[in-house]
Amino acid sequence: MVRFLFILLLFPLRLLGQQPNYFISDSSEIYLQLAKEATFKDTEKAISYLNKSESYLSKSIKKHSKELLADILLTKGRIYYVKGEYAVSYRAGTAAYQYYTQLRNEYGKARALNCQGLVLQAIGNHARALELFKSSLDSYDKSPLKDNFYAVYVNIAISLIEKRQYKDAKTYLNDVWVYAKRSKDYHYQHLAYNKLGSIACLEQKYEEAIDYFSLVITDKAEPTIWEKAFAYTGIAGAYEALGKTDAALKYGSKGLEYAKVINAKWDLQQSYDVLFKIEEDLGNYKKALQYNKLAEAYKDSLYNQIRINQLDLLEMHRDEDERKTLIAENKYKDITIKRNNIIIIFSICSLLFLTWIMYQNKKRITIEKEYTRLIQIQNEEVEAQNETIQNHNKILVKHNQAKDKLISVFSHDLRAPIISMEQLLELMVDGEFTEEETKDLLEELLLQVRSTSFMLNDLLKWAKMQLDGLEVNPVQVNIVKKVEVIISSFNLSLRRKEITIVHTPEELEEPYVMVDEAHVNIILHNLIANAIKYTDVHKSIKVTYTQSNQHIIISVLNEGIVISDEMIAQILGSNRTVSSEEGTMKEKGEGLGLLLIKRFISVNNCELDIKSYKGVGSEFLVTLPKFIS
């Protein structure tokens, strides 16, 4: 209707060949409103409207209106967030925030900060997203307008759930529910119920979860299709966990129907995953396998999309940093030119003054002293500039060294899994295995590829820390499950050397430690890799645990090459790479694995100890801080 009225107004003016400036300005605002309305219905149409709004604004007498330009940028950020192009969305939200800040518009700042936080939340950076959401609430507190205030509460709760801070998440969701109940805003009410149900499932309170989800689908106010899909799938998952497979199948099928309607990858992946578990419980393995394949396909698609957007956002930040550096360099050049011009002018004036001073014999000595002093100041400035250039050269040398170090680390940790996969594929191509063996080995190969992908992700995080400065983000980690995942990634290596790993986690009552998850992945990966390297064929590796009130100690004992006392002293007493000995099957190494272990043990308040047992093998012990709730 709005669009129709707009065309009626526009048509007579087009016949007359005139477009007044005030009308063009109004056109920009009308197209902006149309773009907002189309954001969640048709993103391509919304972008088309937004481009027209920008075009009209450029022709308007209000072309310098920062308020309207900021609104256009914020709408652009929202549209591209819905579209999944997070780098564009983040850049637009940041630009909008800068304009709103200049205008001292707290309401606009709050919405722009929320837009930026949603982008970081979407790519998994929940710590930074929470900071932006809380800054958004601060701006809302200073603004008389409160539209979408409680949407920020929901976003905070989502990030807190991802960080397993369920108690704090429930506090925010309860506040949302109170607001929704008071204002009869059923959309927020359904959101709160669905998220509280999710938390209950994560806390294994399945009956409570079913109650929350049921409040959504039985509400007299019709929920949206997305809310229905979420609730039905949530009930199905809870019933499956309780062993009530018939009820689970009924609700799971309904959830899948709604998920197909909205065609959202995350909801489809959740539905297929729940139905896979239900069919497996019912013994329908063929159908379960179909659902599992679909769930994994959507999961991989979501993961790849997030990684691409993370890299786009990282590239955007890098470009922004380079732009700021260039601006700083240009400012420095301008200052230098101005200073040189002043020096030149001053020198000319000095020469003129000296010509005149020749007739002033009594003042000659004073003038010469002043001139000498100025020359000395200039020399000191030149020396200072030379020192600055030398410092820049030192920084460049350090960056080159860091680059060489990163290349060495990547080649060290990626060489072994890639060689293993290459050897396996060569044997499969040569027809060395039966069809059944090939199928089993393909599953092994898939596991190896996923493990290598996870390890590459950790290495990328480590590489970023090497360039930006080491950061430690300690979280609660189940060390037993983490060890099991790492061991499973070495199946091919273990089978090739016919080595057995004996993992006995039964000694631990509470298997949780407080460390940086990416760091502990690298520590465990290198410990197991070293143990396999120095274990004799047909021998075994023992992974055991001991604990105290404050710590958990992991022991990795391998039967094979016994490490010498001199080598132990060299490893524990040095911060450099140690020459690596050949493995039991002539495996080569660069000594970087132990350097990585020591580096990450140091920054995570852990300890490393090494023992050797003559005629038996070597033992590596890592002491980790316990998670204390």
Side-chain angles (χ1 to χ4, degrees):
M1 186 63 181
V2 174
R3 187 180 181 188
F4 177 72
L5 291 172
F6 167 67
I7 293 171
L8 286 177
L9 289 170
L10 181 64
F11 184 70
L13 287 169
R14 287 204 177 274
L15 288 176
L16 294 171
Q18 296 175 352
Q19 290 186 346
N21 276 323
Y22 66 84
F23 182 75
I24 294 173
S25 174
D26 291 341
S27 300
S28 178
E29 294 179 6
I30 290 172
Y31 275 117
L32 176 60
Q33 183 60 37
L34 291 172
K36 290 178 180 178
E37 293 172 1
T39 296
F40 296 99
K41 299 175 184 177
D42 188 336
T43 54
E44 295 303 324
K45 186 176 289 185
I47 291 170
S48 175
Y49 288 143
L50 192 68
N51 290 337
K52 290 180 180 179
S53 177
E54 288 181 302
S55 176
Y56 276 112
L57 180 62
S58 67
K59 304 172 186 176
S60 169
I61 57 174
K62 292 184 179 179
K63 62 193 294 185
H64 299 297
S65 171
K66 291 183 180 179
E67 189 77 47
L68 185 54
L69 180 57
D71 288 344
I72 290 173
L73 286 167
L74 180 58
T75 304
K76 183 177 182 179
R78 288 175 172 174
I79 294 170
Y80 279 93
Y81 168 78
V82 174
K83 196 173 177 1
E85 296 185 20
Y86 297 133
V88 179
S89 174
Y90 190 84
R91 189 180 289 111
T94 302
Y97 175 79
Q98 291 170 350
Y99 280 115
Y100 286 129
T101 301
Q102 294 173 15
L103 295 164
R104 298 182 180 179
N105 185 335
E106 294 296 336
Y107 177 63
K109 285 170 61 178
R111 292 178 297 152
L113 287 165
N114 186 49
C115 177
Q116 295 174 68
L118 282 169
V119 172
L120 294 175
Q121 184 183 76
I123 63 172
N125 190 349
H126 295 287
R128 177 60 181 148
L130 283 170
E131 292 176 6
L132 291 172
F133 290 143
K134 290 176 181 178
S135 296
S136 175
L137 292 179
D138 291 340
S139 290
Y140 268 122
D141 288 338
K142 300 172 186 176
S143 169
L145 299 175
K146 304 294 181 183
D147 295 354
N148 295 323
F149 177 83
Y150 283 94
V152 184
Y153 270 42
V154 175
N155 295 336
I156 290 174
I158 292 170
S159 284
L160 288 172
I161 292 170
E162 292 296 324
K163 289 171 71 66
R164 301 181 182 177
Q165 297 176 16
Y166 304 136
K167 184 178 179 181
D168 293 338
K170 284 191 277 189
T171 300
Y172 280 99
L173 290 172
N174 286 330
D175 288 344
V176 173
W177 181 85
V178 170
Y179 157 77
K181 195 75 174 175
R182 184 176 64 248
S183 60
K184 294 184 179 180
D185 191 324
Y186 299 108
H187 172 66
Y188 279 114
Q189 195 169 327
H190 296 156
L191 272 176
Y193 285 144
N194 271 334
K195 293 304 175 184
L196 287 167
S198 297
I199 294 173
C201 279
L202 291 168
E203 293 178 332
Q204 298 183 357
K205 299 175 182 178
Y206 300 114
E207 297 288 354
E208 182 180 326
I210 292 170
D211 291 340
Y212 277 125
F213 291 131
S214 297
L215 287 171
V216 177
I217 62 177
T218 60
D219 196 351
K220 62 181 180 180
E222 182 72 14
T224 64
I225 295 175
W226 177 83
E227 289 161 353
K228 288 180 181 179
F230 194 99
Y232 274 106
T233 301
I235 293 174
Y239 273 131
E240 189 277 332
L242 291 170
K244 298 179 181 180
T245 50
D246 290 337
L249 183 60
K250 172 186 172 184
Y251 282 96
S253 300
K254 197 72 174 176
L256 179 59
E257 289 179 18
Y258 288 119
K260 286 180 177 179
V261 172
I262 59 176
N263 197 29
K265 291 181 181 179
W266 188 89
D267 296 277
L268 286 167
Q269 185 265 323
Q270 294 294 311
S271 294
Y272 284 129
D273 201 36
V274 168
L275 287 168
F276 154 65
K277 294 175 183 177
I278 295 169
E279 295 292 354
E280 189 176 43
D281 293 342
L282 291 170
N284 300 330
Y285 299 113
K286 185 175 181 180
K287 187 173 286 188
L289 181 60
Q290 292 175 347
Y291 284 137
N292 185 45
K293 287 181 178 178
L294 289 168
E296 290 298 323
Y298 279 108
K299 189 182 296 182
D300 291 342
S301 177
L302 285 167
Y303 175 80
N304 290 335
Q305 182 178 341
I306 289 172
R307 294 304 301 156
I308 289 169
N309 279 295
Q310 285 176 329
L311 291 173
D312 287 344
L313 207 57
L314 185 64
E315 184 73 15
M316 185 196 75
H317 283 306
R318 191 190 70 183
D319 292 343
E320 183 66 15
D321 290 341
E322 289 178 352
R323 186 184 69 82
K324 290 179 180 177
T325 301
L326 185 59
I327 290 172
E329 289 176 351
N330 289 336
K331 285 184 178 179
Y332 178 77
K333 288 178 181 177
D334 290 341
I335 291 170
T336 303
I337 291 170
K338 288 179 181 178
R339 185 182 61 195
N340 290 339
N341 288 338
I342 291 170
I343 292 172
I344 291 169
I345 293 170
F346 182 79
S347 298
I348 293 171
C349 291
S350 296
L351 288 171
L352 292 172
F353 183 72
L354 286 171
T355 302
W356 178 80
I357 209 67
M358 290 175 64
Y359 301 97
Q360 305 289 330
N361 292 327
K362 293 181 180 180
K363 299 179 180 180
R364 181 172 28 181
I365 297 174
T366 305
I367 295 298
E368 287 178 352
K369 287 182 178 180
E370 181 67 16
Y371 185 76
T372 302
R373 187 181 69 82
L374 290 173
I375 295 298
Q376 184 178 358
I377 291 173
Q378 291 176 13
N379 290 336
E380 290 175 354
E381 289 179 352
V382 171
E383 290 178 1
Q385 289 177 359
N386 288 336
E387 185 177 353
T388 301
I389 292 170
Q390 291 175 358
N391 290 334
H392 283 320
N393 288 337
K394 290 178 181 178
I395 292 171
L396 287 173
V397 170
K398 287 183 179 179
H399 277 296
N400 284 331
Q401 290 174 346
K403 178 195 69 176
D404 294 340
K405 184 177 181 182
L406 294 179
I407 292 172
S408 299
V409 170
F410 272 73
S411 64
H412 171 267
D413 277 6
L414 293 178
R415 185 195 302 122
I418 290 175
I419 289 175
S420 296
M421 289 186 280
E422 181 184 12
Q423 292 174 346
L424 176 61
L425 289 170
E426 286 177 352
L427 291 173
M428 291 171 65
V429 169
D430 292 340
E432 296 292 333
F433 305 110
T434 65
E435 184 177 348
E436 185 175 354
E437 288 174 336
T438 301
K439 182 179 179 182
D440 292 339
L441 289 170
L442 282 173
E443 293 177 359
E444 292 279 359
L445 183 60
L446 178 59
L447 182 62
Q448 183 73 43
V449 171
R450 285 179 180 164
S451 172
T452 305
S453 176
F454 293 146
M455 182 178 67
L456 178 59
N457 185 38
D458 289 332
L459 285 171
L460 287 171
K461 290 180 182 177
W462 180 82
K464 182 179 182 298
M465 288 185 292
Q466 290 295 309
L467 294 173
D468 296 344
L470 187 61
E471 295 180 1
V472 181
N473 182 26
V475 295
Q476 179 185 356
V477 177
N478 187 323
I479 196 63
V480 171
K481 289 185 178 179
K482 187 64 66 178
V483 170
E484 289 173 350
V485 170
I486 296 295
I487 290 174
S488 68
S489 70
F490 285 98
N491 280 346
L492 293 175
S493 299
L494 293 168
R495 290 176 63 175
R496 187 171 65 250
K497 293 186 75 170
E498 299 185 45
I499 294 172
T500 302
I501 292 187
V502 181
H503 182 211
T504 55
E506 295 82 5
E507 300 90 339
L508 290 179
E509 296 177 0
E510 293 291 335
Y512 296 100
V513 294
M514 194 67 177
V515 292
D516 187 295
E517 189 168 7
H519 294 179
V520 82
N521 280 342
I522 294 173
I523 291 170
L524 293 173
H525 178 86
N526 282 283
L527 279 177
I528 300 300
N530 275 354
I532 293 172
K533 179 179 178 180
Y534 296 115
T535 299
D536 289 327
V537 177
H538 304 301
K539 294 294 185 177
S540 65
I541 299 169
K542 294 182 176 64
V543 181
T544 58
Y545 306 84
T546 55
Q547 63 181 341
S548 65
N549 291 335
Q550 302 293 326
H551 299 93
I552 291 177
I553 301 173
I554 303 176
S555 166
V556 180
L557 174 64
N558 65 288
E559 297 178 349
I561 295 174
V562 178
I563 191 168
S564 66
D565 293 339
E566 293 79 7
M567 182 64 74
I568 291 174
Q570 192 175 359
I571 292 169
L572 296 179
S574 173
N575 287 324
R576 299 179 179 177
T577 56
V578 178
S579 298
S580 177
E581 298 178 354
E582 287 187 346
T584 55
M585 291 181 70
K586 304 298 182 182
E587 299 99 327
K588 303 292 185 181
E590 303 294 335
L592 280 171
L594 286 170
L595 182 62
L596 286 174
I597 291 172
K598 288 189 63 183
R599 176 73 186 277
F600 291 118
I601 278 177
S602 173
V603 298
N604 282 274
N605 296 322
C606 304
E607 295 179 4
L608 173 67
D609 194 14
I610 307 172
K611 297 180 180 180
S612 61
Y613 303 100
K614 188 174 181 180
V616 178
S618 304
E619 181 181 23
F620 284 72
L621 301 104
V622 177
T623 302
L624 305 170
K626 237 181 183 182
F627 171 76
I628 300 175
S629 58

